[in-house]
Amino acid sequence: LEKFEHILTSSPAPGVALITLNRPKALNALCSPLIVELNKALKVAEEDDAVGAVVVTGSEKAFAAGADIKEMKDKTYDEVFRTNFIESWHRLYTFRKPTIAAISGFALGGGCEIAMMCDLLLASPSAKFGQPEINLGVIPGAGGTQRLTRLVGRSRAMELILTGKTFNAEQAEQWGVVSRVVREGSVVDEAVKVGEEIASKGRLATMAAKEAVNAAYELPLSEGLRLERKLFHSLFATADQKEGMSAFVEKRKPKFAHL
Ligand code: CAA
């Protein structure tokens, strides 16, 4: 395993890669070197056939308190335009295996946005979400205005983004931002459990499912349905489909081919 400075990587369960954001003194503020490391770890996980799901987490106190304000403070328009600042964060969204965010504490600004790039979000009761960029004289820049709006609806998103006020775990669950709030202190374990279960399924099927569900946010319905059907058809070319359906008929557990 590669040594990183701002993140930790581990394999807590079969098929699961755990990426822990690890800048505790800065509440996991997402500086550029951290994003470079995150993207490297994702590349490794994507190429590792043993990995079926990735969990992204932070600390008890902070999933991540946003982009690094100290790093951004003196940036000029020239620089952010030329370097396409924040564009590289998108790598997490284009990662092809299922991703799970395990959120405790602050998930603010870019932290909330990184969480929303994941496919499935679990929160501990302490989780605190928000897009406070308006208080810094800017707006969300890593998808917040788009993803939060799709998740919670326009009026609520407007209120949150225009005032910068935070929302808690219970609200996040009610509004469908997270799939579940779990017992305090258990969010990483729960996320790893979900990851392990996903990793136990047919690998290609889980990747296709992820692609199809995310397409629901990208495509008009007719195109989304077309993509779904194409992906569905394509899975009939896999050994896992033969195994999964044979196992059902033979009343036994399927043994999916994990390379
Ligand atoms: N960037 C850089 N440093 C940060 C940071 C951030 N986003 N958030 C916290 N820190 C640092 C603080 O500066 C502080 O460092 P020092 O000890 O060197 O002063 C340390 O982390 C601890 O933070 P606090 O003392 O502020 O801790 P707190 O418990 O009193 O408050 C908090 C916690 C409410 C999360 C507060 O830190 C805060 O408001 N942070 C900023 C949140 C924010 O505005 N995020 C949006 C960033 S912009 C963005 O993300 C753009 C985008 O869309 C991509």
Side-chain angles (χ1 to χ4, degrees):
L1 288 176
E2 192 168 343
K3 268 263 174 241
F4 293 113
E5 193 183 337
H6 304 300
I7 63 172
L8 303 168
T9 58
S10 63
S11 321
V16 183
L18 174 64
I19 300 178
T20 306
L21 309 176
N22 188 35
R23 289 187 75 201
K25 283 190 197 130
L27 301 181
N28 293 332
L30 302 159
C31 59
S32 297
L34 183 152
I35 298 296
V36 169
E37 291 186 358
L38 173 63
N39 290 349
K40 273 190 196 163
L42 289 170
K43 184 168 158 45
V44 170
E46 196 155 69
E47 287 170 359
D48 184 347
D49 287 327
V51 173
V54 169
V55 174
V56 180
T57 194
S59 67
E60 288 283 322
K61 178 134 199 251
F63 177 79
D68 190 323
I69 301 167
K70 292 168 187 167
E71 178 189 303
M72 284 187 294
K73 182 172 99 38
D74 295 320
K75 280 191 191 295
T76 62
Y77 172 75
D78 275 31
E79 182 188 351
V80 293
F81 180 79
R82 187 169 36 78
T83 61
N84 208 358
F85 180 51
I86 299 291
E87 196 276 334
S88 63
W89 292 37
H90 193 63
R91 174 69 181 97
L92 177 58
Y93 183 66
T94 61
F95 183 77
R96 294 177 67 214
K97 298 170 183 175
T99 52
I100 303 161
I103 305 146
S104 291
F106 298 111
L108 299 179
C112 189
E113 292 170 299
I114 284 280
M116 290 189 292
M117 282 182 208
C118 292
D119 298 313
L120 192 160
L121 289 70
L122 297 182
S124 90
S126 70
K128 200 169 216 185
F129 301 84
Q131 299 291 161
E133 288 89 344
I134 205 77
N135 299 324
L136 301 167
V138 292
I139 66 170
T145 64
Q146 306 304 299
R147 291 197 178 94
L148 189 63
T149 304
R150 280 164 162 79
L151 290 171
V152 306
R154 177 170 174 270
S155 183
R156 219 174 250 149
M158 284 288 190
E159 187 171 354
L160 291 167
I161 290 167
L162 291 172
T163 66
K165 74 178 184 192
T166 59
F167 56 104
N168 62 29
E170 195 184 326
Q171 289 167 307
E173 185 179 31
Q174 249 172 38
W175 299 343
V177 175
V178 305
S179 64
R180 275 188 290 138
V181 181
V182 300
R183 194 168 41 78
E184 192 65 59
S186 73
V187 74
V188 176
D189 288 348
E190 284 292 328
V192 168
K193 240 189 264 170
V194 177
E196 192 177 357
E197 179 163 5
I198 292 169
S200 76
K201 316 289 183 195
R203 186 78 78 242
L204 297 174
T206 58
M207 291 172 70
K210 165 178 175 147
E211 184 177 346
V213 173
N214 282 335
Y217 287 92
E218 305 270 1
L219 301 176
L221 181 60
S222 57
E223 286 304 308
L225 291 171
R226 217 154 75 97
L227 176 70
E228 180 194 77
R229 197 172 318 112
K230 290 286 173 207
L231 288 167
F232 176 68
H233 290 166
S234 74
L235 291 170
F236 285 76
T238 66
D240 285 341
Q241 175 266 337
K242 299 288 174 291
E243 169 60 15
M245 294 191 182
S246 302
F248 176 83
V249 171
E250 291 160 20
K251 301 187 189 298
R252 60 174 176 82
K253 278 189 86 149
K255 275 181 69 96
F256 293 120
H258 293 150
L259 304 171

